[in-house]
Amino acid sequence: METYLGEDSLLVLLAGLFVVFMAVRAWHHGALEMLWTVLSWSGGGAVSALAFRHGPNLLASQGGIPLDEGQRMVASVVFSVVAFAVTRGLIVWTIRRAFGPESKLGGWMYGGTGSIISVLPSLAFLVLVSLLIRGTGTMFELESVDRMSAAGTLEERARHAVIPGPTRWRNGMEGLPHVAAILDTFDPLSSPARRNLAALVLAGYHEGLRLQLRRSPITEAAAKHPLTVELTEHSPDLAALVAGTDGEFKYYRLLRHPKINQALADAELRNSLAQVDVADEIRALVSGKLLPPRKKWLEKIFS
């Protein structure tokens, strides 16, 4: 079901070529533009994401302004746009001030030093692309789990037991050394433990799959955990969310649901979830085919 197509090796090759290309470009044309472009967009995006998530909470807690769901969304967007614009402007101004043509450090942007400096924005860009691949792969994975869980017959569920293309790329990327740990620092929303719990919740509202996951030696510890049982059997709000048809927003809302956050605060459950791949186990259960262990990048190359 998962034939190795070399996605991870191709990612390594493309990343290496990109870094070399940007270094050569910086040698001849300077690194100033790429430095402020990538840093301002990545810094602005990070602050914007924080503002989107916490801005409405500050209005409620510090300003005493109660907001309904619609007002919270509008406030989140406004906070996010303002935070992005201000942060990006400050970063661009600072970098131009420090490394512009008129500055004492301006010469560092060209030649060998420019090539070395170009590695920083190149790596930042690669992290952003990796986050996009990871988030997209996770959404497609949860959609496939949702389809397998919602299908009526075993044959219909088995038809959806195929790893989506974006998820294959995510898996290949995370199989590279230390990549998953680095991405967890920037993107806790798509971490293995969180997406595995989301998959358990999606499958948990199908009685047959729920029982199979609890009997499976691979997922038994996580599926039988009292917090998981609470999420799948005694949470009407999650049941309504799982039964909804909001597409990607449905899975995004599931990943950041407060009850998911509370459950993941439990170290025992979080560790159990981090050791398994729930989506792969669901595919194996509905298709009747055992998936081979997923090898790391170098193991694939030399095996």
Side-chain angles (χ1 to χ4, degrees):
M1 291 179 61
E2 185 182 17
T3 303
Y4 173 52
L5 298 179
E7 293 94 343
D8 43 11
S9 298
L10 183 57
L11 287 170
V12 171
L13 177 61
L14 291 175
L17 290 175
F18 174 76
V19 172
V20 171
F21 169 78
M22 297 303 287
V24 173
R25 185 178 184 276
W27 183 291
H28 295 288
H29 303 287
L32 180 63
E33 183 179 354
M34 69 175 74
L35 184 65
W36 69 253
T37 298
V38 174
L39 292 183
S40 65
W41 278 86
S42 57
V47 175
S48 175
L50 290 174
F52 182 88
R53 184 172 184 179
H54 300 292
N57 295 333
L58 290 175
L59 279 180
S61 61
Q62 304 298 324
I65 304 174
L67 301 173
D68 59 30
E69 187 171 350
Q71 292 170 333
R72 285 181 64 85
M73 180 58 67
V74 172
S76 293
V77 171
V78 171
F79 272 106
S80 178
V81 171
V82 172
F84 177 82
V86 172
T87 304
R88 185 172 183 272
L90 287 174
I91 291 175
V92 170
W93 179 84
T94 302
I95 292 176
R96 282 179 169 171
R97 182 90 175 183
F99 299 102
E102 302 83 9
S103 69
K104 294 180 180 180
L105 301 178
W108 288 20
M109 293 292 106
Y110 297 87
T113 54
S115 296
I116 295 172
I117 292 173
S118 73
V119 173
L120 176 61
S122 296
L123 292 178
F125 178 79
L126 290 176
V127 169
L128 291 175
V129 172
S130 299
L131 291 172
L132 178 61
I133 293 173
R134 191 192 211 198
T136 303
T138 295
M139 294 304 169
F140 273 85
E141 178 178 76
L142 293 180
E143 182 186 27
S144 71
V145 170
D146 199 10
R147 289 178 180 273
M148 286 186 286
S149 305
T153 66
L154 182 61
E155 291 76 15
E156 291 173 340
R157 293 200 297 275
R159 282 201 295 269
H160 297 296
V162 178
I163 301 178
T167 306
R168 295 178 64 100
W169 284 95
R170 184 207 67 189
N171 293 343
M173 181 186 65
E174 289 188 343
L176 299 172
H178 309 299
V179 168
I182 293 172
L183 295 181
D184 284 347
T185 305
F186 298 97
D187 173 37
L189 197 64
S190 299
S191 65
R194 184 175 294 270
R195 68 195 188 218
N196 278 328
L197 182 56
L200 277 178
V201 170
L202 287 169
Y205 286 95
H206 184 287
E207 184 176 357
L209 273 179
R210 183 173 69 239
L211 294 176
Q212 285 180 293
L213 288 168
R214 290 179 181 176
R215 289 196 296 262
S216 167
I218 295 176
T219 55
E220 179 181 10
K224 281 187 174 181
H225 194 282
L227 290 172
T228 306
V229 174
E230 178 70 22
L231 293 176
T232 55
E233 295 187 17
H234 308 292
S235 299
D237 51 343
L238 278 176
L241 177 59
V242 170
T245 56
D246 293 337
E248 286 76 9
F249 291 106
K250 167 183 175 179
Y251 310 124
Y252 173 76
R253 289 164 56 198
L254 176 61
L255 286 167
R256 64 179 300 224
H257 196 282
K259 288 187 176 179
I260 297 291
N261 294 335
Q262 293 169 7
L264 289 172
D266 184 273
E268 179 186 359
L269 176 59
R270 190 171 62 251
N271 292 334
S272 297
L273 290 164
Q275 304 303 317
V276 300
D277 191 313
V278 173
D280 272 0
E281 181 62 12
I282 292 173
R283 292 186 189 97
L285 290 172
V286 302
S287 67
K289 300 177 182 178
L290 293 177
L291 294 176
R294 189 174 296 145
K295 295 181 179 179
K296 298 295 184 180
W297 179 48
L298 293 178
E299 292 176 342
K300 293 176 181 177
I301 292 175
F302 294 107
S303 61

